[in-house]
Amino acid sequence: LYVVVGSQVSVLLGYDLGIIAAALDSIREYFHTTDAQLGWLVGVFALVQVIGTPVTGMAANRWGRRTMLGISATIATVGASMMAAASSFNMLFSGRMVTGIGVGAGLAQAPVYLAELAPSRDRGFVVSQIEVFLNVGIFLGFVVGLLTRPLGSPLDFRAMFALGALL
């Protein structure tokens, strides 16, 4: 059970990577964005993880890794909800930034958390599950993108992001 909980942040990362590809055309159509804006929308997710990662490391040393995993999941959920409800490109962009901070914060703690919980004989296997769950998330993102595409813009990208808030 702790492997699934600890690896949930990898599912979120993979899911976000999977759905953004499917959502870009609808986002462009609905918000009338430029290629540069879409590029920044995709890239800012990774850029802000640079912020979430070191901050959460210091915070986890003070409040604990499990607490920080919960906080990071909450931040990512808020960001995904912002994206699903976005009424402007700026709100969508802000939601993507918030999601990236939450995912980056969780990614910094998940491997250490899992390694601390796993018995020494199982540690390598347990920590490697982070990569497995990342790929599960990517697959889920692609499937959700495919299934929501017939809804058309903006319902398709809103549904993709809303489902991300539920993960």
Side-chain angles (χ1 to χ4, degrees), residues 14-23 135-149 160:
Y15 182 81
D16 276 308
L17 294 173
I19 62 166
I20 196 64
N135 287 292
V136 167
I138 292 169
F139 178 74
L140 286 174
F142 287 154
V143 169
V144 168
L146 180 68
L147 294 176
T148 57
R149 191 72 174 168
M160 289 180 223

Side-chain angles (χ1 to χ4, degrees), residues 68-80:
M68 290 313 299
L69 281 170
I71 290 170
S72 70
T74 301
I75 292 168
T77 300
V78 167

Side-chain angles (χ1 to χ4, degrees), residues 81-95:
S81 299
M82 288 172 64
M83 290 188 295
S87 58
S88 68
F89 179 77
N90 289 338
M91 185 175 175
L92 180 71
F93 190 84
S94 297

